[in-house]
Amino acid sequence: MAAARSAPLNAPHVATAAVAADPGSQAARAQCPYCGVGCGLELKPPQEPSDPQWTARGDRHHPSSLGQVCVKGATVGETLHHNRLTTPLWRESLEQPFTPISWERAFALLVDRIRTTLAEQGPQGLAIYGSGQFLTEDYYVANKLLKGALGSNNFDANSRLCMSSAVAGYARSLGSDGPPCCYDDLDHADLVLLIGTNTAECHPVLFQRLLKRKRKQKEALRIVVVDPRATATSDPADLHLAIRPGTDLVLLQGIGHLLLELQALDEGFIEAHTEGFAELKELWQQWTPQRVSDLCGIAEADLRQLAQWWAEAAGVLSLWSMGVNQSSEGTATVAGIINLHLATAQIGRAGAGPFSLTGQPNAMGGREAGGLAQLLPGYRFVANPEHRAEVERHWGFAPGSIAPAPGLAVWDQIEAMERGELGLWWVAATNPLVSMPALDRVRAAAANCPLVVLSEAYAGTETAEVAHLLLPAAQWSEKSGVMTNSERRVTHCPAFREPPAEARPDWAIFAELGLRLGFEQQFSYGSAAEVYAEFTALTAGRVCDLSGLSHGLLAEHGPQQWPFPTGSEPGTGAPRLYTDHRFPTASGKARFLAEQPFGLAEPPCDTYPLVLTVGRYLGHWHTMTRTAHVARVSQQHPEALLEVHPSDAASHGLSDGAIAEVSSRRGCISAKVTVTERIRPGTVFLPMHWGASQENACEANRLMHEQACAHSKQPELKAAAVRVRPLA
């Protein structure tokens, strides 16, 4: 990635080649550090002392991926040694250049700012924004430091931007977070509904598994895709519903109406294992096929076909990702999916269930470790006094150390900085100056914070432009720890390379700071394995029970699925949850939730007549911190392209290959136009990867608004009202 423009990093303190392992090193096995599929990789060490590059291939022994790998995983070895931060860097003001400092000086600055903030603003003046790129040990120690030692629940992570609606949806409907399905269900389902997920590009190994089965058992499997765009995911589908953006919940209520009409519900299951159906039934009756097809912009016959297939299927598997979650009604839409599964008893058995696909590689591990502002480890909640007391005892803090109210979600943190209420904002392993909505507001807010800290492996990210203190972080491959993928499978990721120069693991940075703040008993860890042992003990008896796992067991026996309580034998983790149809609610029953759709938070209007939706390209990852260095990927995706339907291109004076200005209420950007019938009229598309520092800068998220789901606080990053015009 190109260096940040406003304050370039000093070249001597940026590594172009990290210290490599001895060429005689053995191959290593780990989980891929990209998407939430969590594929297994086998890493081969450099063959020459002068060559720092490891090579990667799929690990045939990893049960989640069975040797399959996508272009990102296959080229990850090319990204590990480029453009690395090597020493702490500091500047007192954003107008100054960075200068190198020692770790001793860096910790002194942190301790002084934390103590000053506690004295002047209290614990609420401290906030950390973490990442699904963290290993579980990083998540755990960061939460223990902030929520336990310092009394601030203001720890949030970029899972807030991609999966928090799924977290809230599972908890509201089923009683706890935790996907109840596994990847083997792809091999058993009769009907697979892909809604709000471009699986072929965002979770490609899973999609290839689905396609392989489709080719072999064409008549045994139907695939339905719900997406305003035609994509590589929809191309092989039996049915593609190109609904209007913001009508996902309308569609789901319409399916419910037709399942009632078809008498396809499992009344015995509803009576024995659920509650609240009467209210939902009344709601479903309102959503007639004509009404639904009109609002969604699809043919009524297609709606009826989907409902008929659902009614006939022995196993229905629904998969979704950010297209559902990144919505102001994201949690309600998740409930809408779960409602259909509960009403037809399509849960807790092979080939059936509501399955959220996580975006980040360890988003699941972060949820287990309490890595959102409302959570505590072990799927506990900060608002629950019993949960707080359990965690305080385990951590060795006095009663009342953990604050009783949920902390600030990441957009709340932005608004707090705008008001001057944060004395420290610490960003780690993520790049919010590309991935957040309303980026101009984010920049201005960060500039209003006395100390912005960035823990980062790579130099020149957009977030470095607003930071005062840069801490060089050891990344995946350079530190030992675990990750959990979308099917609840835990993989040990060993340290098979040396970190460059002075880079340190995130958990070790947080632990050292805890020691320097006087919490010697709580943060005297000798290894990441000790951290993990402390964490897993805290999950005993919870839905996400990992108490039988350890670094040693995972290293010896390979990846394991939870729940895996103490005493479990390797390979005996549960592939599916709720097989006994008992749910972790007060009544033991799952809950139907009846919620009326209300559509987009920012619908199109005369001034901004189009809906912009954003997404991802197959070869790039998130904000391109790694993948920008891979020549093969950069050649495949050299720039961001604005997809426009021919009718919209004609009415707005756009031509294929020309440059257009795209404007929203928050700003404007430019992008090259590609005219295509693969997007529905009234909708345009941009990828979100390109930030301000890229050669072909295209800050799509500058245009997106911050309005969020009331339950999950996840911003509606999938839709904003825009206008387009040609640039001369």
Side-chain angles (χ1 to χ4, degrees):
M1 181 174 287
R5 295 171 300 170
S6 63
L9 298 173
N10 303 50
H13 312 293
V14 179
T16 56
V19 177
D22 186 330
S25 298
Q26 299 297 310
R29 287 188 166 94
Q31 178 181 315
C32 177
Y34 284 116
C35 78
V37 173
C39 298
L41 295 182
E42 184 176 350
L43 292 307
K44 185 178 179 181
Q47 300 304 295
E48 300 293 337
S50 60
D51 178 13
Q53 185 170 304
W54 286 64
T55 55
R57 66 181 182 184
D59 179 3
R60 290 175 294 174
H61 301 287
H62 197 287
S64 290
S65 52
L66 304 174
Q68 299 301 303
V69 66
C70 77
V71 63
K72 292 188 290 293
T75 58
V76 68
E78 300 176 31
T79 71
L80 301 177
H81 59 283
H82 285 293
N83 203 38
R84 296 294 302 278
L85 290 174
T86 61
T87 190
L89 299 172
W90 163 250
R91 59 182 176 183
E92 290 189 10
S93 73
L94 301 184
E95 291 73 32
Q96 297 174 337
F98 285 104
T99 58
I101 60 173
S102 67
W103 272 107
E104 189 69 27
R105 173 65 173 146
F107 281 120
L109 288 165
L110 287 167
V111 169
D112 179 70
R113 170 45 52 184
I114 288 170
R115 288 176 174 164
T116 299
T117 301
L118 289 173
E120 295 178 353
Q121 297 172 294
Q124 278 295 98
L126 305 170
I128 297 177
Y129 182 50
S131 167
Q133 290 284 320
F134 273 172
L135 300 181
T136 299
E137 295 79 358
D138 302 323
Y139 264 118
Y140 180 74
V141 179
N143 273 273
K144 184 178 181 180
L145 174 66
L146 193 64
K147 294 175 181 176
L150 300 177
S152 171
N153 291 328
N154 297 340
F155 180 97
D156 215 41
N158 56 17
S159 295
R160 180 71 63 186
L161 303 184
C162 62
M163 302 316 300
S164 55
S165 291
V167 174
Y170 279 138
R172 292 175 76 224
S173 295
L174 304 180
S176 174
D177 187 14
C181 309
C182 65
Y183 297 162
D184 283 351
D185 289 321
L186 293 167
D187 303 329
H188 298 285
D190 304 305
L191 174 65
V192 174
L193 174 65
L194 301 169
I195 178 170
T197 168
N198 183 5
T199 321
E201 298 196 67
C202 299
H203 300 91
V205 169
L206 283 189
F207 192 71
Q208 288 303 312
R209 180 170 179 169
L210 192 62
L211 281 188
K212 183 178 180 180
R213 182 174 171 228
K214 182 69 171 173
R215 287 192 292 266
K216 288 184 176 181
Q217 300 175 303
K218 185 174 183 180
E219 302 304 320
L221 172 65
R222 291 188 174 106
I223 299 174
V224 177
V225 172
V226 180
D227 191 329
R229 300 169 65 219
T231 65
T233 303
S234 65
D235 287 344
D238 297 278
L239 180 63
H240 174 209
L241 299 178
I243 63 172
R244 289 191 179 95
T247 61
D248 302 77
L249 186 53
V250 170
L251 176 73
L252 296 168
Q253 309 298 34
I255 297 170
H257 179 101
L258 288 170
L259 291 175
L260 279 172
E261 183 179 289
L262 294 167
Q263 298 183 350
L265 307 186
D266 190 319
E267 296 182 0
F269 182 92
I270 292 170
E271 177 64 28
H273 303 297
T274 70
E275 54 193 12
F277 182 67
E279 185 178 358
L280 178 63
K281 181 179 180 180
E282 183 179 342
L283 175 64
W284 276 353
Q285 289 170 338
Q286 301 170 22
W287 288 95
T288 63
Q290 184 66 56
R291 183 185 182 193
V292 170
S293 61
D294 288 347
L295 286 172
C296 292
I298 58 174
E300 183 178 330
D302 288 342
L303 174 65
R304 288 186 177 276
Q305 181 66 85
L306 173 53
Q308 185 68 45
W309 284 346
W310 189 299
E312 295 170 353
V316 181
L317 185 67
S318 297
L319 299 104
W320 77 92
S321 190
M322 282 174 271
V324 164
N325 295 322
Q326 288 181 332
S327 166
S328 54
E329 55 184 14
T331 306
T333 305
V334 171
I337 295 170
I338 297 173
N339 284 342
L340 296 175
H341 282 271
L342 293 175
T344 52
Q346 294 282 358
I347 190 171
R349 53 189 175 84
F355 197 176
S356 160
L357 299 178
T358 50
Q360 294 276 345
N362 198 32
M364 278 296 300
R367 287 145 67 171
E368 297 155 12
L372 290 172
Q374 77 277 17
L375 301 180
L376 290 170
Y379 285 175
R380 293 177 174 90
F381 293 91
V382 299
N384 185 312
E386 293 181 7
H387 290 179
R388 294 196 305 274
E390 290 166 358
V391 176
E392 287 164 348
R393 286 194 296 269
H394 192 80
W395 281 348
F397 293 119
S401 296
I402 300 174
L408 300 176
V410 64
W411 190 260
D412 298 326
Q413 294 176 10
I414 301 303
E415 293 182 331
M417 285 190 288
E418 288 179 327
R419 298 189 297 267
E421 295 174 359
L422 285 190
L424 168 66
W425 191 44
W426 190 336
V427 178
T430 188
N431 193 12
L433 267 295
V434 178
S435 57
M436 288 286 287
L439 290 176
D440 290 345
R441 278 189 69 183
V442 177
R443 287 191 185 93
N448 200 37
C449 185
L451 181 61
V452 175
V453 181
L454 175 62
S455 296
E456 177 58 80
Y458 293 93
T461 71
E462 287 80 358
T463 303
E465 295 188 35
V466 301
H468 304 92
L469 178 61
L470 301 182
L471 302 178
Q475 63 165 326
W476 172 92
S477 79
E478 300 158 1
K479 58 183 178 181
S480 177
V482 305
M483 290 186 178
T484 308
N485 71 2
S486 291
E487 66 167 347
R488 297 173 284 102
R489 194 177 297 277
V490 184
T491 300
H492 178 247
C493 300
F496 56 87
R497 300 169 65 254
E498 290 294 326
E502 298 181 57
R504 299 186 181 188
D506 292 284
W507 72 263
I509 296 170
F510 293 125
E512 177 67 20
L513 183 56
L515 292 174
R516 290 172 181 254
L517 288 166
F519 300 97
E520 184 173 351
Q521 178 183 350
Q522 291 86 354
F523 293 98
S524 294
Y525 298 113
S527 67
E530 288 184 22
V531 175
Y532 192 64
E534 180 181 304
F535 160 64
T536 58
L538 192 49
T539 68
R542 306 295 299 169
V543 169
C544 59
D545 193 332
L546 302 117
S547 59
L549 294 179
S550 66
H551 279 204
L553 184 146
L554 292 167
E556 181 178 359
H557 297 286
Q560 306 292 322
Q561 278 181 294
W562 61 253
F564 196 96
T566 300
S568 299
E569 291 295 320
T572 61
R576 298 172 187 87
L577 303 181
Y578 315 129
T579 55
D580 60 356
H581 299 154
R582 292 282 302 173
F583 299 90
T585 61
S587 65
K589 296 183 176 183
R591 309 180 186 106
F592 287 107
L593 296 171
E595 294 170 296
Q596 288 284 7
F598 56 79
L600 296 177
E602 186 180 80
C605 61
D606 290 342
T607 306
Y608 299 98
L610 301 172
V611 175
L612 170 66
T613 187
V614 301
R616 285 146 175 78
Y617 286 161
L618 171 63
H620 278 306
W621 169 248
H622 212 228
T623 67
M624 296 168 58
T625 307
R626 284 195 185 104
T627 55
H629 300 294
V630 181
R632 176 180 168 187
V633 169
S634 296
Q635 291 166 4
Q636 182 181 6
H637 305 294
E639 61 185 328
L641 297 176
L642 177 71
E643 295 181 15
V644 184
H645 189 271
S647 63
D648 293 321
S651 60
H652 293 278
L654 305 175
S655 58
D656 192 69
I659 304 300
E661 179 185 83
V662 190
S663 303
S664 76
R665 292 174 174 87
R666 289 152 294 281
C668 66
I669 62 173
S670 61
K672 183 184 289 187
V673 173
T674 180
V675 178
T676 174
E677 293 186 349
R678 290 173 65 80
I679 191 165
R680 67 169 293 132
T683 304
V684 296
F685 170 85
L686 277 172
M688 58 75 63
H689 307 291
W690 278 262
S693 72
Q694 297 298 327
E695 182 178 352
N696 297 314
C698 182
E699 296 180 283
N701 281 350
R702 272 189 75 199
L703 308 179
M704 310 310 285
H705 63 79
E706 74 283 357
Q707 296 180 69
C709 172
H711 297 291
S712 69
K713 296 193 173 182
Q714 181 159 353
E716 190 169 84
L717 276 165
K718 282 296 180 186
V722 299
R723 61 175 176 243
V724 295
R725 69 176 184 88
L727 285 179

